[in-house]
Structure formats: structure tokens, C-alpha cells
Amino acid sequence: MAPKSKEEVIELLESISRLLELKGENVFKVRAYTNAARALETFTGDFAAAVTEGRLGEVAGVGAALQEKITEFVSAGALPYYEKLREEFPPGLFELFELQGLGPKKIKALWEQLDVINIDALEAACKDGRVAELKGFGEKTAGNILVSIQARRQYAGAFRFGDVAAEAETLLHELKQLPEVLHASLAGSYRRRKEVVHDLDFIVATRDAEPVSGFFVGHSNVETVLAKGATKSSVRLVGGIQADLRVVTPEEYPSALLYFTGSKEHNIALRSRALARGWTLNEYRLGPDDKAKIKPDPVPSIRSEKDLYAALGLDYIEPELREDRGEITAAEGHRLPHLVELENLRGTFHNHTTESDGRSSLKEMVSAAQELGLDYLGISDHSVSSFQAHGLDVGRLLKQVATIREMNERFDGEFKIFAGVECDILKDGTLDYPDDVLAQLDYVVASVHASFTQSQAEMTARLLRAMSNPYVTMLGHMSGRLLLSREAYAVDVPAVIDAAAQTKTVIELNANPRRLDMDWRWWPLAKEKGVLTSINPDAHHVSQLQYLWNGVGIARKGWLRPSDVINTLPLGKIEAQLSVKRSS
DNA sequence: GCCGTTTTCGGCCCGACTGTTTTCAGTCG
């Protein structure tokens, strides 16, 4: 049996934490397990080696007891402590945690007193009145549980960033228009540009809270009001996502924005820095800590998030970086990267037209790119094997190339279309066109569109072989994942990154909101190895060139600078970049 | 269960809101 992976250990720790919670264990003991799971999530070293060499305890948050349990689980493939714990509870009980408003105490009561062992049993108990009769429960609680059950069945609680962005930005814009509103921002994982978000957090600064809260809960996009208080309201929007509003004073605004932007781990690190200075940092203010043993320095005046970071001895940290993945140390040492911005992009590659499966013509795509202010546009329709996408055979492809060359002559050097293709990587890693055809193109995006179920070794070898072709300029949507609908195929990402560095192959950052592939967590490694990216919308319609915005957010999460992104290069320089590989 | 300029015991973030209560427990973020 293969030793358990880091991911399996993280899952184990989270499961134990939940079980201990149900048991009513000490909350700090419960938290120790989730803390350890989080610590491992951000652990970048060789996990297997750390386990066998007994160095896991060096990870902050993993002590002697957990090191022993993890080592046993990894080497023996099972942990009796966990198995025993699990047998104490019916398996269906865990899905109850996914219901809004139910925590360990209530779930325990429902199980022990009403024999509720899953969501269906809970629904029945709510409907026949047994839940309402329980001590600590009532009619309202029973009703709310039914609503939560309904909501879970309908929405499952996760939303792609790109699917909620329009609704979120519109609501924010409308809040900003209110006369009472002094400042307003989205916070939370949305502001950090996570690829999948679970709710929307709005922070508003005002002297007059009531009209703002009233506007929010009464908005036409609100389906249900979940809570409404003086400073905090929650609603479910018609799109299904939950939205929370926090109303604060202008003085509290910087702290509130920082606090609710998170991530939680980032905040904890900031708070400990404050404590070390004899201050306390919460969602309202940075102030003197009454319990401090040291005599605190005077607290500087705070008017912005930047002031807060400065007070803690840190450079300003962009929201996308606030994941406790090294940004605090970098901010302390003035080593934060200057992140790429949308304005830096001068063009883009990987776009489709009506020639394959796009819905806009070549001319329409070019006009749209020009309107966006781009200087160049790469066209890469599907290759012949992508039959379902009307992939181009050699004849149609070369005809498109000729059309593009002809159009370019009319731009007078002000704009340029690059003739490319999105070439299928076949099952064995060979390409869909012979080299002498690829050589006639300005660039090639090579992507996997079939045979997703190969083993990790086969898939990795397949990608490596494709990258070894001198005409493959960049690797398209490397993992093949479709967020919230299709898992990534098995591939050894570090091996692909190494090969990309060696062969000078660009790895695309596919900005389509359903993909956002390669995942942002891998970009720091790619950057370290010297791998460049191209932020590509994978546009199938003129409107989808806007996906670039989404892609820049992910690039920023991946710590990428303009110099890491080839499509920040202007016309005149980008040509040389595209031919780096084939001329070396 | 973890951790240590509060250092081997005794803390561990904490405030807002709801619903069920008559002063607070549970949940959430």
C-alpha cells in the first residue's frame, strides 16, 4: 500500500477535529487538529521525508502527540484512534454540519435525544414538531433548519468567482451611490480573488447605519433575509449566494476591511504582531492592549489599511496575497513583489473564432481587442482532433493564417494578429499537426482535450513529450479542471514545471472563470524555476476577452510580476519572446 | 493538543446576532 499523502493526512486531521467537536471535547484541543491541518496545507517541503525522518514536529502547530499519530497513519495506512472515534457516530451525522445554523452542540442534541442520524431524518423531525419541543430549540429553529436544508439542496454553497462577480460589483456600486455611504468595499475571499467563494462580504463606512442596512436587506436582488441587526445583516441573493453587510464608522473602516478580508490565518499572524507591540488588533481598531505586560508604544493614528500594516512594521500587502503563504515575512523584509495589473497587459493569446467553436468571427474578435486597448491578439482555434469543436484541418488552418497575414498589412504596425492554434496533445504526447505545419504559425498552444483518465505517470509523460516539441510555445489549461464540475486529471505538476523551465515552454494561466488553470498555488514555484506565463482568456466570444480581469486576479494571487507574464510585452518585443524556444 | 520575552502550566480571538430564554447558549465569521 502506498504511504498516505499529505492531503490524506489533512483530511484525517479535519475529520478527527469534527469528531472531537461532536464528542464535546475541549475546544482548544479541537482547534489544535484544525490548526495542524492548516499548517500542513502551507507546508511546502518534502512531506514524506519529513514524516520518515521525524521532522514533522518542526512544523508550527504539530506537536509530539500529532507527530506520532500522523506517522502511524502514514506508515501503517490507518489510525486506530481515528477508527474508534468514528465508530462512535453514525456516518450521516457529518452532513448536518453543512447546514447553516447547526453546530456541534445542536447536532449532538438532535442525535442523542431524537435519533437524528442524517439530513432526511432531521427534515422529518422538524416537520412533525419533535425538534421544536427539544430544550434549547423552538418553532423558529425548526423552521430555520428546514430553510437551511432547502438552501443546501439548491445551492451546495460554493460559487465560481466569475459567476458571482457581476452581481457583487453591481451591489457594491449601488451601495456606494447611497448618500449615507462614505466608503464601501467587498471583503472576504472575493476580495482575495479566490477561484471559488462561499459568500460575499460588504463593508460600509457611514455615520447613519439604518438606511444602509435597510437598503441592503430590501434590495430587489435579495431572496431571503437571514439576519438584520444594527451593524450586521445577512441575506441570500437570488443567485443563491449568501451576502453579509457590516456597517462601521469611518474610524473603524480600515480595521474592519482588514479583518473581514482575511484570510483568517493572515489575520492571526497580524494580531500576534500587534500583541508583541503591546497592542490589540480587532475588527474595530488597533489600540493599546490593557492586559499587556510590556509598556506599549503609543498607537499611531490609522486612516487606511496601509497605515495598519505600517504600524505593524510591514509593507502594504495586496489582498490577493493575504493567505499566510510567506507574505508577512516578505512584507517585513521589503521583498513583496510588485504585482501585475490589468493595465500591464498589452495583448493576449488563446482565443477562438467561428472557424472552430467560437461564437464571434475573426474580425469581431479583433475589433473587440482593439476596443479593449490591446495592441495584439493571438488566434488559436482548435486542431483537427477536436472534432466536437469543429477543429481545423491543415487546409483550413493555413487559409486562416493567410487571412491573418493579409489583415495585418492593413494595420500599418499599430496592431497585430498572431496566427496560432490550440493544438491537441494526443494520447501519446504527440501533436495533432506535423512540425512543418506548426512551423508556419507564430505560436502554438498545446492542450489536452481527451483521454483524461490516464494514470499520473502516463499523463505527465504525455505533457513532457508535448513540451519537448520546439514549436509548442505554451501549455494550455494544464490540469484540465473545470471548477465545481470536473476534477483535474492526475498530473505531476512540479515535474511539468521543471520541464517547462528546461524547454522554455510558457505555462498558460487560463483566465476562463471555469478553469483558472494552472492553479494559483503553483505559480510561486513556477516563478522560482523561471517559468513564464501568458494570461489567456480562452475566449469563445468577444465578451469573454473580459476574462483577462479574472486571470490577473489569479496571477496576483500567484505572486506574479509583469516580468513573469509574456503578454505584458509590447509589440516589437513579444515576437522575440514567441520564438525563443524554436530558435534556441 | 500546542506552545513558551506570560516558558512546563495555563492560556488558547472575540464580538454580533438569533432564539430561547428571563440572563444566556449556540452559531457564525
Side-chain angles (χ1 to χ4, degrees):
Chain A
M1 187 185 357
K4 297 289 184 185
S5 68
K6 189 183 86 170
E7 284 66 34
E8 286 171 299
V9 169
I10 290 170
E11 208 172 304
L12 171 84
L13 295 173
E14 282 167 350
S15 297
I16 293 177
S17 164
R18 184 126 289 178
L19 288 161
L20 294 176
E21 224 175 358
L22 268 180
K23 258 184 102 128
E25 260 289 1
N26 179 322
V27 290
F28 298 109
K29 182 168 169 178
V30 171
R31 200 175 299 163
Y33 279 87
T34 52
N35 284 347
R38 262 192 220 109
L40 289 182
E41 269 172 9
T42 54
F43 176 79
T44 51
D46 184 339
F47 177 73
V51 173
T52 43
E53 292 161 22
R55 290 186 287 105
L56 260 194
E58 292 171 19
V59 178
V62 179
L66 283 185
Q67 166 160 325
E68 193 181 324
K69 286 194 174 79
I70 293 170
T71 306
E72 181 177 0
F73 178 67
V74 170
S75 53
L79 183 65
Y81 168 76
Y82 169 66
E83 307 296 335
K84 251 194 207 151
L85 202 52
R86 205 177 50 174
E87 281 165 19
E88 295 180 36
F89 305 94
L93 216 48
F94 304 108
E95 65 191 34
L96 300 190
F97 280 98
E98 291 163 30
L99 298 174
Q100 169 94 27
L102 281 191
K105 298 279 165 47
K106 285 206 169 106
I107 291 173
K108 194 167 184 227
L110 288 165
W111 173 49
E112 289 180 343
Q113 296 171 52
L114 296 180
D115 277 333
V116 163
I117 53 161
N118 55 37
I119 289 186
D120 288 341
L122 177 60
E123 187 177 26
C126 285
K127 284 185 173 162
D128 66 22
R130 281 179 292 147
V131 168
E133 286 167 13
L134 272 188
K135 184 166 161 24
F137 292 66
E139 290 292 345
K140 271 230 162 124
T141 304
N144 286 343
I145 291 173
L146 286 174
V147 171
S148 297
I149 292 174
Q150 200 50 42
R152 179 183 176 275
R153 283 183 185 150
Q154 208 167 344
Y155 307 121
F159 301 82
R160 283 183 287 264
F161 178 93
D163 293 345
V164 294
E167 200 176 22
E169 298 292 334
T170 303
L171 189 45
L172 176 65
H173 179 75
E174 292 180 22
L175 281 169
K176 283 181 173 172
Q177 303 303 308
L178 296 179
E180 296 85 1
V181 171
L182 302 169
H183 311 286
S185 175
L186 277 146
S189 54
Y190 181 93
R191 185 166 181 239
R192 302 201 314 277
R193 297 290 184 263
K194 284 288 284 288
E195 65 277 27
V196 168
V197 298
H198 297 273
D199 60 8
L200 299 172
D201 299 292
F202 293 90
I203 312 295
V204 167
T206 181
R207 297 266 176 228
D208 189 5
E210 176 47 38
V212 181
S213 302
F215 170 83
F216 184 73
V217 299
H219 195 276
S220 60
N221 256 15
V222 167
E223 190 196 73
T224 324
V225 178
L226 301 169
K228 178 175 185 285
T231 64
K232 182 184 164 186
S233 303
S234 293
V235 299
R236 188 172 305 287
L237 299 176
V238 283
I241 194 166
Q242 179 174 331
D244 299 330
L245 172 73
R246 309 272 174 165
V247 184
V248 299
T249 66
E251 292 75 23
E252 294 164 341
Y253 185 73
S255 309
L257 186 57
L258 181 77
Y259 182 88
F260 290 110
T261 296
S263 64
K264 203 194 292 176
E265 295 74 17
H266 180 85
N267 286 352
I268 288 169
L270 292 185
R271 194 172 306 115
S272 68
R273 288 183 76 87
L275 290 172
R277 288 164 171 73
W279 303 330
T280 168
L281 175 64
N282 58 32
E283 60 259 62
Y284 299 107
R285 68 191 61 83
L286 178 68
D289 179 10
D290 301 333
K291 288 173 287 188
K293 291 286 190 297
I294 61 170
K295 179 155 172 54
D297 295 331
V299 180
S301 91
I302 302 292
R303 302 189 59 182
S304 66
E305 276 188 323
K306 197 171 181 192
D307 292 342
L308 283 167
Y309 281 106
L312 299 174
L314 300 170
D315 291 342
Y316 176 72
I317 301 176
E318 298 284 355
E320 293 92 335
L321 299 185
R322 301 181 194 172
E323 302 287 352
D324 195 21
R325 293 172 79 91
E327 73 277 11
I328 293 181
T329 320
E332 189 172 40
H334 311 295
R335 283 183 284 100
L336 281 172
H338 178 74
L339 300 177
V340 63
E341 294 174 32
L342 185 61
E343 293 70 29
N344 300 138
L345 298 189
R346 307 295 295 270
T348 187
F349 301 95
H350 197 167
N351 299 287
H352 298 270
T353 73
T354 45
E355 204 52 42
S356 63
D357 62 348
R359 288 177 287 120
S360 301
S361 68
L362 173 59
K363 277 187 181 151
E364 288 168 332
M365 291 296 285
V366 168
S367 304
Q370 289 175 320
E371 272 171 45
L372 275 181
L374 298 180
D375 298 334
Y376 52 89
L377 180 73
I379 296 296
S380 55
D381 273 311
H382 286 285
S383 63
V384 62
S385 286
S386 277
F387 179 74
Q388 76 290 348
H390 310 292
L392 280 62
D393 58 28
V394 172
R396 284 169 68 210
L397 177 66
L398 294 182
K399 196 170 156 218
Q400 188 188 49
V401 173
T403 307
I404 287 172
R405 305 270 185 252
E406 206 178 290
M407 285 173 77
N408 274 337
E409 288 185 14
R410 294 203 295 273
F411 294 131
D412 230 14
E414 295 289 311
F415 185 90
K416 186 167 178 181
I417 313 170
F418 288 99
V421 76
E422 183 179 15
C423 184
D424 270 34
I425 300 173
L426 305 179
K427 207 172 173 178
D428 60 356
T430 58
L431 297 172
D432 211 7
Y433 299 113
D435 283 2
D436 66 316
V437 171
L438 298 178
Q440 298 179 55
L441 302 163
D442 298 320
Y443 72 100
V444 173
V445 182
S447 311
V448 166
H449 287 116
S451 303
F452 296 137
T453 54
Q454 288 178 320
S455 70
Q456 173 166 315
E458 284 173 315
M459 185 61 85
T460 305
R462 180 181 179 183
L463 295 186
L464 261 50
R465 182 166 181 197
M467 282 189 288
S468 71
N469 183 302
Y471 296 104
V472 169
T473 324
M474 58 185 92
L475 198 55
H477 45 71
M478 187 228 274
S479 84
R481 75 174 180 190
L482 294 177
L483 288 167
L484 302 180
S485 73
R486 186 174 75 203
E487 287 295 311
Y489 38 70
V491 62
D492 183 346
V493 178
V496 172
I497 288 173
D498 276 339
Q502 214 161 39
T503 59
K504 297 197 173 71
T505 307
V506 170
I507 297 179
E508 162 185 271
L509 195 168
N510 190 299
N512 186 308
R514 285 162 56 82
R515 296 190 180 272
L516 302 175
D517 186 5
M518 183 167 77
D519 189 278
W520 58 269
R521 295 161 186 85
W522 289 112
W523 287 112
L525 176 64
K527 177 172 147 180
E528 185 192 317
K529 303 271 181 177
V531 175
L532 298 176
T533 191
S534 173
I535 301 177
N536 294 335
D538 200 352
H540 287 71
H541 184 262
V542 286
S543 63
Q544 296 179 352
L545 288 171
Q546 307 279 355
Y547 290 164
L548 286 173
W549 177 68
N550 209 174
V552 168
I554 295 298
R556 290 166 64 84
K557 276 199 95 51
W559 293 58
L560 299 184
R561 306 155 297 185
S563 57
D564 301 312
V565 180
I566 66 165
N567 50 325
T568 59
L569 291 171
L571 267 183
K573 289 193 174 163
I574 185 66
E575 294 86 348
Q577 176 60 49
L578 291 179
S579 55
V580 155
K581 194 174 159 184
R582 50 176 90 176
S583 56
S584 67

